[in-house]
Amino acid sequence: MDSALIPRGVKRCPFPQFILFVAIVGAVLLWGVYAMLLCWFKGLNQTNMNDAYGFALWIWADLAVIAVGGGAFFTGLLRYIFGKDDLKNIINYAVLIGFICYSSALLILAIDIGQPLRGWFIFWHANVHSMLTEVAFCLSCYFGVLTIEYIPLILENRQIDRVPFFHHLGHNMHETMAVFAATGAFLSFFHQGSLGGVAGVLFGRPFAFREGILIWPWTFFLFTWSAAACGPCFTILITKITETVTRKKLVKDSAIELLAKISGWMLLTYSIAKTADTWYWATVTAPSMGQTLMDFYSNNPLYGIWILILEIAICGFVPAFILITKKGRKNSLALWIAITLATIGVCINRWVMVLQVMAVPVLTFESWFMYFPSWQEIATTILPVAYGVILIAISYRYLPVFPNEPELNPMETLPAQETEKEEAVEPSVDLEQELKPAEA
Amino acid sequence: MFPFSFEWIWDMGHVVFMGGLWYALTILGIGMTYCIIKSAIDASRGNDEHHH
Amino acid sequence: MKHKKAKKYGMVIDLDKCTGCGSCMVACMAENNVPFRKDESNKLLSITWMRVYKLTNGKPFPNTDICYLPRPCMHCEGQHEGHSPCVTVCPAIATDYNIETGIVSQIYTRCFGCRYCMASCPYHARYFNWWDPVWPDGMEKYLSPNVSPRMRGVVEKCSFCFHKYQLAKEKAFMKGRRELKEDEYQTACTQACPADAITFGDLNNPNHAVYRMAKPDPKHHGRPTNPHAFRLLERLGTNPKVYYLSSREWVRRAGDNYLENESIAKKPAHHE
C-alpha cells in the first residue's frame, strides 16, 4: 500500500500491521494529549505539585530527556569534528533520538509553566544571569540544529528525493553538516551545563549548591560531562531495542563498539569527577552551612544513602568498567547491562538534583516534603515517549535511518539493484521478520 | 533579547550571552541560506553528477 | 556615593512577644488581596505571604517550650546588593531587587510561572497561584484598590506592602517632603500585631527602631550584633532583612542549621 515510500533494499512489515501498532501507541499519545489539555485549560492545579514542590516530575523528565538526548550532540561531535567515520552508521539514529528528546523537552516545558502564553517572555525579557534563560535559549537553538540535522534524512525518502530541489538540498546540507554539528556542540555544551547550573546555583539549598569557577558551579561541568557519557549509551540502548523488536541487525558492531568505548571512558572519568565533587560537598560545602551528609539521606521514607551508591557506584563505575574493556563491549549481555545502567544512572542523577532538592528541609523547623505525581503529570510525561515511539516507527519505515541495513539484511527475493521498479518493493508478508518498530 | 527591549543593558553579561546566541543563530542562518540557494541553483541547472 | 542615602527597609520580630494569634496573617491577606479557597486544609496549597510557624524545643513536660515565628518574605540582599536567591534565577526579570528600598518585588504580569524562584527560596516565602482567585459573592467590593489581584499561574509573595510605601511617598511629596518619617510607611502586619512584636523601618537609619534593635553590622552583610538577635538561615549567605529577637537560646539555634557539636556563635556565611 505504501510501498512506494519505503526505502529500497529493505523489508518492512505489512501496512495494516504498522497502522495497528501506531494506533495502539497513538491511544497512549491521546491520553497524554488529554492530560496536557487539562493542564493548559484548567491550570497546574491538575498536578500534585505544591508550594514546597514547585519543581517536580516534569522538570526531572525534562532534564532526563535532555541528558539522554545528549547522544546526538556527542556522536555528531565525534563524527563530524573528530572524524570518527565508523559512527556514520549510527549518526542518523542518534540525531533522530536527539530530535525526539529535545522536542519532548520543549513540549514538557510548555506544559510546565503556569502561563504558557507568556512563554516567550523568557526570550524577550531575558535575564542573562539566570541559568534557566541560558537553558531556554540554547535548548531552542539546539533543537533548531537537530531539525537541520534531521531534515536531510527526511529528504532521503524515496519520493521526496525525486524532487530535484530537495535532492540537492539534502546533499548540500550533508556537505555543510560539520558547521551545524560544531554549532550544535557549542550550544549543547552550554545548555547541558546550564541545566546543571540550575541546581548548582541555588545557594539557599545546601543539598543542591556547589562551588565552581566564576559563574559556573561544578554541576555545570558535571551535567555536560554526564550527558556526553550517558547520551551515547542511550543511543546504543535504543538501537539495541530497535534491533530486538525488528529482529534485524541494523548497525555494524564496529560503530556500536567504538561509541561504547568512548562512552565508557567518558563515564569513568565522569564518575571519578562526580565522586570528588560529592566528597568535597559532603565534607566542606554542606558542613559550612551546618549540615552533614546524612542530614540529606535520613528521616524520610524514600531518600536513603542507597540512592547515592546506586547513582555513582552501580550506575556509574560498574557500566564504565564494562564499557572500557574489550570483553565487556563484545559480550552482548554485558553491553546491555552497561548501557541500561548508564542510562538509569544519569536519570537518577537528574532526579536527585530536582526532586530531592525540593524534598530536603532547609529550615530547622520544617520536615521532609514528599510528593507523588498526579495521573495528569504521569500521562503528560508518558506522552513524549509515545510520540517518540511513533516518530521512530514512521522514520524507520519510510527513511533510510540505518545506512547499513540493506547490507546487513540482504533481501533474498528482491536484490536491492532491481528495485528501480517501484511496484516490486511490496514486502513479503513475514510476521517473523518484522513485527513492529522500536520503543523510545 | 534585543537592544531595544527596555531592560537591555550594554554590560558584560548581555554582550557575552547575547553575543554567543546571535553568533550561533547567524551561523545557522547563513548555513541554511547557503544550502537553500545552492540547491536552487543546482536544481535549476539540472546538475546531478553527485551521488551519496 | 549614590547609594549612601538608599533605604534598606527591614523588620525586627520579637519572638518573646509573639503570641501566635495570627493577626499579622489576617491583616496581610486583607491588605494584599491574597486569594483563598473554600478548603484551605492543605497548607502546601495555601497562599500565606505572612505565615506563623509553631516551633517547639522538643523536650517533654515540664520542660516543653514553644515559640511562634512569623515568616514574611525575607527580602534577601544576598552577598552583594540584589543577589537574592530568587532575583538572580528568574529568567524573565519578573522579580527585581529595588536598590532604593531594598525590597524584592514580584511583577505578576511579567511572571510566566516557571517557579524557579520558589525552588531557590529556602524560606518557602514564595507561593504559586494554582487557581484563579475566586472571591465570595460581594467580597470583591472589599478588595484593596491599591493592590492588583493575581491571576492563575504566577508566583506571588510578601512585598513589604510596597503600595503603602508608594502612597506614603505621594503624601509626603504633596507636603513638600522627599523623605518619609518612620511611622509613615508601616506594613499591614506591623500595624496589626496586638503584642507589638513586629517593628518595621529603615535598617540603614540609626534613628529607626529596627536599627537600634538589630544593630546590623554593615561589615558582615548586616549580621546582627545584638546577642539576642538572629536571622533565619544566616549561614547560607542570603542576607535577609528580617531579624528575629529571642532571649531563649534554643529559639535562636532553631533559626539555622548547626553541626552536632557546633556552638551557636556567629558563623560566617560560606561566601565570605
Side-chain angles (χ1 to χ4, degrees), chain A residues 112 115 118 127 130 198 205 364, chain C residues 89-90 111 116 119 152 254:
Chain A
D112 183 61
Q115 286 277 342
R118 293 182 194 167
N127 171 14
S130 171
V198 164
R205 300 274 189 171
T364 59
Chain C
V89 300
C90 175
C111 173
Y116 192 11
R152 182 180 88 198

Side-chain angles (χ1 to χ4, degrees), chain C residues 29-30 33-34 36 134-144:
Chain C
M29 291 192 80
N33 299 336
V34 175
F36 51 88
V134 179
W135 313 103
D137 263 352
M139 199 194 143
E140 61 277 0
K141 290 182 185 135
Y142 292 86
L143 294 179
S144 165

Side-chain angles (χ1 to χ4, degrees), chain C residues 85-265:
Chain C
C86 52
V87 169
T88 45
V89 300
C90 175
I93 325 180
T95 182
D96 189 35
Y97 187 89
N98 185 326
I99 53 169
E100 295 298 316
T101 58
I103 291 174
V104 175
S105 66
Q106 180 72 20
I107 309 160
Y108 311 122
T109 46
R110 173 68 72 82
C111 173
F112 64 86
C114 74
R115 306 182 298 287
Y116 192 11
C117 55
M118 295 170 65
S120 77
C121 176
Y123 305 104
H124 291 134
R126 293 181 155 271
Y127 293 91
F128 188 72
N129 282 275
W130 302 100
W131 289 268
D132 265 320
V134 179
W135 313 103
D137 263 352
M139 199 194 143
E140 61 277 0
K141 290 182 185 135
Y142 292 86
L143 294 179
S144 165
N146 297 319
V147 182
S148 56
R150 282 72 62 183
M151 63 295 283
R152 182 180 88 198
V154 303
V155 172
E156 63 179 71
K157 65 163 199 75
C158 156
S159 65
F160 270 172
C161 292
F162 190 72
H163 60 286
K164 297 185 96 184
Y165 171 76
Q166 290 172 310
L167 289 176
K169 284 286 273 187
E170 282 171 18
K171 260 189 185 167
F173 188 77
M174 294 309 287
K175 289 178 188 161
R177 279 187 288 121
R178 290 292 171 110
E179 292 297 317
L180 293 180
K181 290 179 192 157
E182 188 175 3
D183 61 349
E184 283 178 329
Y185 167 39
Q186 290 292 319
T187 62
C189 52
T190 310
Q191 291 173 325
C193 179
D196 204 17
I198 306 178
T199 312
F200 183 79
D202 179 10
L203 291 163
N204 277 349
N205 189 335
N207 297 322
H208 279 206
V210 284
Y211 182 92
R212 295 196 304 271
M213 291 164 93
K215 300 195 181 71
D217 176 5
K219 284 190 190 127
H220 290 96
H221 301 295
R223 200 165 68 195
T225 52
N226 174 351
H228 281 179
F230 68 97
R231 295 188 290 184
L232 283 181
L233 305 174
E234 173 86 46
R235 305 177 77 174
L236 298 184
T238 51
N239 192 0
K241 284 198 269 297
V242 176
Y243 295 76
Y244 293 91
L245 297 178
S246 179
S247 56
R248 292 168 286 178
E249 209 217 324
W250 75 265
V251 173
R252 298 198 296 271
R253 197 176 170 89
D256 211 337
N257 291 293
Y258 296 95
L259 303 179
E260 212 171 329
N261 299 316
E262 216 173 3
S263 85
I264 190 171

